[in-house]
Every structure is written in C-alpha cells, then in structure tokens.
C-alpha cells in the first residue's frame, strides 16, 4: 500500500455519519428489485483521476502526484494507487484509454510493450480485487499524429496506426473481461469544410467501425461496442454529433444492430439537448448502452466535465434508463474531473463519494416515480385518443380516406392542456 490516501478508510454507507460516508449510496439496498450497486454500476475514469495534471488553456499542472513521470515505474505506481482508490470507494468498475495507463514509446512497438506491461498488472489486480473493467478505449486524439483525425484522417498511415491501436485496446479489453468497448471520435470531424472531403471521411469512419465489429466477433468479445456522441470540441464539428446523428450513421453503414451508444451528460448539453432527451432518444432507437456521468457549467460553452451535483437532472436521466430496463452491460462512468484547485488526495475521494450519493438519490427518485406510475399515467392519458379503433385504423389507411372523414365533418380537434407545470411539480415531489 502507498501512503497517498493516508488514513482514509474504505467508505461505507452511513446516513448519520459526521465525516466521509455514503449517505444515500447503499450498495446492497434493493431498489426496483435490484441492488443499488447493480443498478448504478459505477466506474472511475482513469484519465481524469490519474492522468490529468490539472492544466487548463491558461495554466499548467496544479496536482502534485507521486506517479508523475514518463517511465514504467511511474505507470506501475499510478496503477497501484488507482486500485487503492477503487478499494476505498468500493466501486465495481473502472475505465481507461491506452494513453492513460502507459508512457508513449519512441515507436508503436515500444508503446505496445509499455501498454502490455500495465495490462498484465491490471490482470493480476483484477484477479485479487472486487473492481472489474467496464470499458477500455483508445486515445486517438491527444498525440499530434491525430490532429487531422484518426479513421477520417486524410493520411492513410494514420488510419492504419489507429486501426492497430484499436485492435490492441480491444484485445486488452477482451482479455480483462471488459463489459464494453468505447470509441469517442474526438478528432473525427473537421476544423473547416474548405479542406474536408466529407463523403470520403464518413465512408472511412464507416469502414473502420465495421472492421472493429468484425474483429469483435473474430475474437469472441461479448461486450458491447459503443460510440460516444459529442457535437464539437476539440473539432469545430464532430461527425458523431448526437444520438440521432449517430443512429443515422450506423444505419448508413449497416451497424445499427451491432453498435450502441455511450451517452455523456456534458456532451448532450453541448449538442443543445438535455441529458434525458439523448437517453430517451437512444432508448426509443434501441441503442442505449452506457453513460458518462458528469455536468457542465451552464455559463461556459465547453465541456467542463464536473462531478454531478444536481439531483433533479440526474433523476430524470435514470428515469429514462430505468424505462429502458436499466443497464445491461453499461454503467455509470464518472467522466468527471476535479477542479484544478482541488489539490488534495482526499478531494478525489470526496468528489466520487458525493457524485455517487447524487446518483443514488436520483436513482431512488426515478424508481419511485416509475413504481407510482406518476408520469406514465398522465402520459398514457394524453395519448388515449389513439387507443380507439378509428385512430388505430387511420395508421394503416391513406390520405384520401382520411381526408374524406375530415371533409364530412367527422373530425373536430379540441386542444387539451399539456399540463407541463403539473408534471414538473410531480417530479419536484420526488427529488
Ligand atoms: C471527451 C470525452 C472523452 C471520452 C473518452 C472515452 C476523455 O469529452 O468525454 O473523455 O469519454 O475518450 O470515450
Ligand atoms: Mg466522455
């Protein structure tokens, strides 16, 4: 054990505690017929908690960590301390990018050797700890080689480098028993249309994703392949803009039955949607896979990746997830980072504990609203007119037949209240 977290003991559920404790996240508490831990399936994001030095566009590193360094000893120490934090939090999962866990080598082969050494270490640790891998992914956006894209790069050598990187990360995810494999196309988009061949880039991205799916089946990976939508940042425009856009892309390339989505709160907001909109859309399109949980700052126009602290927002998100039947292989990955002034090791623990409690409160409120039929009953009532035989017959009729009824004076629409404020008041009673 390192002394990085000092005397911080494993965090447990104790609603009456004075200090560090879960006041709402009670892993064994049964909610809507399932243990809370099995509903929420919390994961820690390696990159924000262990790889990010605290920089922002106007300032550099603020965090002082014993594992900083670009050698393998530093990478191994980082892994040791990461697993210590997983144990303190009692989280069931974690997620990584290849670049989070190993130093960049001076060649592809050197980077792969570094990567494989840490994956070996993870494999040992997973054998002896409770935590498992929710998903792995490849960082195809930080290194300058990816500045013009990965699968969509005008340079075929970058497509090849990206394909080899994803193969390695998918192999490692499979070996570690990962439940999913995620692709966030941070550079799969454009800065300007003036130098972009949209059609070629989308076709290449479609081929790349088909190769990933084919390889998944070849190696027998049983996890879900997930695309993570985001409208922009760092690109001016990202091709995987939002749920509906990604679904259209999947249909165009014949992948709508093979790929689902990892939906992030902050990305939904950047796309001009609510989190619950994107989740409801993904549910209705049959592509809801997993979530990256965080929040944005509503006064800033970029992805601030803050830990969630808004119970009503989170409750409406889990409401849509529960309506979809809950997570299967997905979960709640905290794609969330400390503010750069939150320097202490205990800040990492406090941030995750608070966020886990917020999500637990949201889950319980959502489950209760569903159990009480609080929103579904008025929703059904609003569409009841469609239950009549005439209305159902209209859906298999034709314009002329319908028009004849209207012209004969059989149809006389009478507007009814949508009762939005009443429904918002109902939600407020649960959160
Ligand atoms: C960027 C993101 C990414 C993705 C990660 C996994 C660095 O806004 O959200 O986090 O979550 O690459 O796909
Ligand atoms: Mg994310």
């Amino acid at each position: 054990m390192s002394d990085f977290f000092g005397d911080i003991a494993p965090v447990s559920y104790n609603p009456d505690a004075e200090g560090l404790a879960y006041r709402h996240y009670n892993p064994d508490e049964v909610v809507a017929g399932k243990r809370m831990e099995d509903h929420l399936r919390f994961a820690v994001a390696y990159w924000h908690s262990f790889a990010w030095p605290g920089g922002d566009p106007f300032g550099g590193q603020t965090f002082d960590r014993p594992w900083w360094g670009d050698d393998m000893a530093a990478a191994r120490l980082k892994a040791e301390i990461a697993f210590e934090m997983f144990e303190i939090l009692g989280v069931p999962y974690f997620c990584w990018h290849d670049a989070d866990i190993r130093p960049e080598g001076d060649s592809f082969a050197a980077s792969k050797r570094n990567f494989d050494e840490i994956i070996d270490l993870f494999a040992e640790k997973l054998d002896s700890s409770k935590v498992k891998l929710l998903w792995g992914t490849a960082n195809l956006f930080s290194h300058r080689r990816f500045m013009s894209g990965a699968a969509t790069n005008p340079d075929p050598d970058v497509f090849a480098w990206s394909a080899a990187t994803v193969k390695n990360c998918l192999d490692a995810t499979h070996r570690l028993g990962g439940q999913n494999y995620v692709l966030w196309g941070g550079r799969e988009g454009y800065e300007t249309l003036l130098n972009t061949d949209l059609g070629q880039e989308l076709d290449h991205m479609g081929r790349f994703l088909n190769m990933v799916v084919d390889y998944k089946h070849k190696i027998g990976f049983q996890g879900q392949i997930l695309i993570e939508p985001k409208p922009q940042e760092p690109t001016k425009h990202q091709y995987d803009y939002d749920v509906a856009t990604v679904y259209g892309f999947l249909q165009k390339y014949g992948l709508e039955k093979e790929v689902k989505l990892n939906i992030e709160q902050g990305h939904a907001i950047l796309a001009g949607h609510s989190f619950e909109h994107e989740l409801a859309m993904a549910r209705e399109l049959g592509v809801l896979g997993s979530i990256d949980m965080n929040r944005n700052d509503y006064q800033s126009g970029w992805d601030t990746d803050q830990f969630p602290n808004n119970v009503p927002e989170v409750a409406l998100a889990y409401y849509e997830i529960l309506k979809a039947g809950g997570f299967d292989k997905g979960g709640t990955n905290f794609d969330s980072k400390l503010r750069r002034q939150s320097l202490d090791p205990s800040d990492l623990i406090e941030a995750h504990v608070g966020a886990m409690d917020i999500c637990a409160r949201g889950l319980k409120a959502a489950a209760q609203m569903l159990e009480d039929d609080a929103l579904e009953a008025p929703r059904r009532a609003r569409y009841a007119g469609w239950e009549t035989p005439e209305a159902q017959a209209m859906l298999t009729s034709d314009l002329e037949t319908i028009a004849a009824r209207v012209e004969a004076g059989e149809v006389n629409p009478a507007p009814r209240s949508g009762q939005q404020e009443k429904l918002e008041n109902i939600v407020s009673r649960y959160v």
Side-chain angles (χ1 to χ4, degrees), residues 270-292:
L270 280 183
H273 304 307
S274 64
F275 197 16
E276 61 268 24
H277 167 87
E278 289 286 82
L279 292 164
M281 185 64 79
R283 181 192 65 240
E284 294 303 329
L285 295 173
V287 291
L288 177 53
S290 195
I291 65 172
D292 270 4

Side-chain angles (χ1 to χ4, degrees), residues 146-287:
F146 302 116
M147 69 175 190
S148 302
T152 62
N153 200 292
D155 177 352
D157 286 352
V158 179
F159 183 102
W161 190 288
S162 304
T165 304
V166 169
K167 176 192 176 294
N168 290 343
C169 292
L170 187 47
D171 283 335
T173 300
H174 179 40
R175 173 185 170 195
L176 297 180
Q179 301 273 298
N180 310 271
Y181 183 81
V182 169
L183 298 104
W184 168 60
R187 303 280 179 198
E188 309 295 31
Y190 61 76
E191 298 308 312
T192 171
L193 271 178
L194 298 179
N195 64 7
T196 300
D197 182 332
L198 262 185
Q200 177 168 330
E201 295 202 358
L202 287 170
D203 284 344
H204 289 186
M205 199 164 85
R207 275 299 303 137
F208 191 92
L209 192 53
N210 267 287
M211 291 177 193
V212 172
V213 169
D214 292 344
Y215 190 67
K216 163 199 166 166
H217 292 304
K218 183 175 191 299
I219 64 175
F221 178 59
Q222 298 301 309
Q224 294 179 139
I225 302 294
L226 304 177
I227 292 287
E228 182 172 327
K230 187 177 186 180
Q232 78 262 0
E233 191 198 340
T235 51
K236 151 89 181 150
H237 173 88
Q238 184 178 314
Y239 296 133
D240 293 333
Y241 197 93
D242 61 5
V243 167
T245 307
V246 172
Y247 188 73
F249 172 85
L250 295 176
Q251 280 190 310
K252 178 175 167 65
Y253 296 100
L255 292 164
E256 69 275 16
K257 302 296 182 202
E258 289 280 0
V259 176
K260 294 191 175 182
L261 274 62
N262 181 52
I263 299 165
E264 177 164 332
Q265 156 102 289
H267 296 181
I269 292 161
L270 280 183
H273 304 307
S274 64
F275 197 16
E276 61 268 24
H277 167 87
E278 289 286 82
L279 292 164
M281 185 64 79
R283 181 192 65 240
E284 294 303 329
L285 295 173
V287 291

Side-chain angles (χ1 to χ4, degrees), residues 59-374:
Q61 173 191 337
T62 54
F63 300 137
D64 182 19
R65 305 292 193 241
W67 61 80
W68 289 153
D70 59 1
D71 59 22
M72 288 306 292
R76 283 193 296 274
L77 178 61
K78 177 161 54 171
E80 293 296 337
I81 295 174
F83 274 78
E84 288 173 11
M85 188 171 98
F86 302 154
E87 193 168 331
I88 289 170
L89 294 171
V91 289
Y93 294 102
F94 75 118
C95 303
W96 48 253
H97 300 82
D98 56 329
D100 308 333
I101 68 175
R102 55 90 181 128
E104 186 84 13
D106 55 12
S107 68
F108 186 89
S111 292
K112 184 175 186 308
R113 281 193 300 273
N114 294 344
F115 176 69
D116 289 343
E117 183 175 326
I118 300 300
I119 294 298
D120 288 344
L121 178 55
F122 281 174
E124 283 169 38
K125 291 203 158 295
L126 290 177
D127 282 344
S128 58
S129 79
K130 159 188 171 180
V131 75
K132 299 294 174 247
L133 181 65
L134 187 65
W135 45 262
T137 187
N139 181 321
L140 303 180
F141 47 87
S142 294
H143 193 284
R144 64 194 297 269
R145 72 173 70 89
F146 302 116
M147 69 175 190
S148 302
T152 62
N153 200 292
D155 177 352
D157 286 352
V158 179
F159 183 102
W161 190 288
S162 304
T165 304
V166 169
K167 176 192 176 294
N168 290 343
C169 292
L170 187 47
D171 283 335
T173 300
H174 179 40
R175 173 185 170 195
L176 297 180
Q179 301 273 298
N180 310 271
Y181 183 81
V182 169
L183 298 104
W184 168 60
R187 303 280 179 198
E188 309 295 31
Y190 61 76
E191 298 308 312
T192 171
L193 271 178
L194 298 179
N195 64 7
T196 300
D197 182 332
L198 262 185
Q200 177 168 330
E201 295 202 358
L202 287 170
D203 284 344
H204 289 186
M205 199 164 85
R207 275 299 303 137
F208 191 92
L209 192 53
N210 267 287
M211 291 177 193
V212 172
V213 169
D214 292 344
Y215 190 67
K216 163 199 166 166
H217 292 304
K218 183 175 191 299
I219 64 175
F221 178 59
Q222 298 301 309
Q224 294 179 139
I225 302 294
L226 304 177
I227 292 287
E228 182 172 327
K230 187 177 186 180
Q232 78 262 0
E233 191 198 340
T235 51
K236 151 89 181 150
H237 173 88
Q238 184 178 314
Y239 296 133
D240 293 333
Y241 197 93
D242 61 5
V243 167
T245 307
V246 172
Y247 188 73
F249 172 85
L250 295 176
Q251 280 190 310
K252 178 175 167 65
Y253 296 100
L255 292 164
E256 69 275 16
K257 302 296 182 202
E258 289 280 0
V259 176
K260 294 191 175 182
L261 274 62
N262 181 52
I263 299 165
E264 177 164 332
Q265 156 102 289
H267 296 181
I269 292 161
L270 280 183
H273 304 307
S274 64
F275 197 16
E276 61 268 24
H277 167 87
E278 289 286 82
L279 292 164
M281 185 64 79
R283 181 192 65 240
E284 294 303 329
L285 295 173
V287 291
L288 177 53
S290 195
I291 65 172
D292 270 4
M293 178 59 85
N294 54 26
R295 80 175 198 269
N296 269 1
D297 179 314
Y298 288 107
Q299 283 72 50
S300 66
W302 62 88
D303 195 13
T304 56
D305 279 351
Q306 296 174 251
F307 282 89
N309 70 351
N310 184 314
V311 174
E313 280 181 356
V314 164
L316 291 177
Y318 283 113
Y319 185 86
E320 298 303 335
I321 292 165
L322 289 177
K323 272 187 76 174
F327 291 124
D328 173 20
K329 295 175 176 173
T332 303
N333 171 48
F334 288 115
D335 191 357
S336 307
K337 63 190 178 190
L338 295 173
R339 295 311 85 189
R340 66 192 292 262
Q341 299 178 42
S342 302
L343 303 178
D344 298 342
S346 60
D347 290 323
L348 279 169
I349 305 297
E350 288 281 356
H352 283 90
V353 167
M356 290 161 72
D357 267 348
I358 290 287
C359 292
R361 288 171 62 187
L363 173 77
K364 288 190 281 187
Q368 197 60 58
M369 283 192 282
L370 267 176
E371 183 180 328
D372 296 351
D373 213 15

